[in-house]
Amino acid sequence: MELKKIQLSIEVYRFAEELQTGDAELLSAAREITAAAYAPYSQFFVGAAARLANGAIVKGTNQENASYPVAICAERTLMSAAATLYPGVAIEAMAISYDNKNGKSNKPISPCGVCRQMLTEFEDRTGREMKIIMSGQKGEVYIVNTARELLPLTFTSVDLKG
Ligand code: THU
């Protein structure tokens, strides 16, 4: 038996002001766009903002529905929009933030499992890793340099071929 260890490195910043300019701008856009989320059921308002390889900025928010499973996360809303508006263009960096009714948004959240699956395939299909910037409306910021780091042992199209 061999033990395989997978390591995850996260850059931790105390607050947005410690980020480099492009990342700080993206985080600020993600924080702002939470206001466009449609989340009357969870009251958890998620915003995402991405910089594409062509310089375009694309944003996404979570969109819920009375039929709960219909809801789509901010990250997948963003990726669907980006792939439609700019087919084949890679995402360089994506910032994710949130807001909620109790006003406590001071620690980072990370993408859900379904979004991680779509994020990794987005990297594969565009041939480029994307930086993921995670933070609440204030406080610490986590950065990983590729979405794949968030989903070890990823299931991919290669696995379908056996
Ligand atoms: N949500 C996102 O939009 N992104 C995430 O990474 C986590 C969860 C949304 C889905 C749902 O509308 C609400 O947050 C509560 O789960």
Side-chain angles (χ1 to χ4, degrees):
M1 195 274 275
E2 177 201 345
L3 200 58
K4 225 176 227 184
K5 286 195 180 168
I6 300 173
Q7 257 195 340
L8 167 66
S9 299
I10 306 173
E11 294 171 20
V12 180
Y13 298 84
R14 283 175 302 165
F15 30 71
E17 289 71 18
E18 285 185 351
L19 300 177
Q20 59 187 68
T21 315
D23 294 349
E25 282 171 4
L26 224 43
L27 177 54
S28 168
R31 284 172 170 171
E32 266 179 47
I33 203 65
T34 55
Y38 177 66
Y41 306 103
S42 71
Q43 298 282 304
F44 192 73
F45 308 93
V46 186
R51 186 180 58 251
L52 274 55
N54 64 2
I57 302 290
V58 177
K59 300 172 193 175
T61 54
N62 55 332
Q63 298 293 318
E64 298 185 346
N65 193 276
S67 172
Y68 292 2
V70 174
I72 180 164
C73 293
E75 298 90 326
R76 281 178 290 133
T77 304
L78 187 160
M79 285 183 277
S80 304
T84 305
L85 294 169
Y86 307 104
V89 180
I91 293 176
E92 283 180 357
M94 184 190 297
I96 304 158
S97 188
Y98 65 98
D99 217 340
N100 49 32
K101 279 281 176 243
N102 67 22
K104 270 198 186 159
S105 172
N106 51 15
K107 59 178 184 352
I109 52 156
S110 58
C112 80
V114 173
C115 288
R116 290 176 199 213
Q117 184 69 31
M118 184 162 168
L119 285 160
T120 53
E121 186 149 332
F122 202 97
E123 288 187 333
D124 289 347
R125 70 196 255 199
T126 56
R128 182 170 179 160
E129 295 182 331
M130 73 172 92
K131 183 193 275 193
I132 309 283
I133 304 157
M134 300 161 272
S135 187
Q137 290 295 328
K138 54 184 183 197
E140 278 190 338
V141 184
Y142 288 175
I143 294 187
V144 292
N145 285 313
T146 162
R148 178 150 257 128
E149 264 199 299
L150 296 175
L151 192 62
L153 300 180
T154 317
F155 177 78
T156 71
S157 61
V158 175
D159 299 307
L160 284 175
K161 294 174 190 122

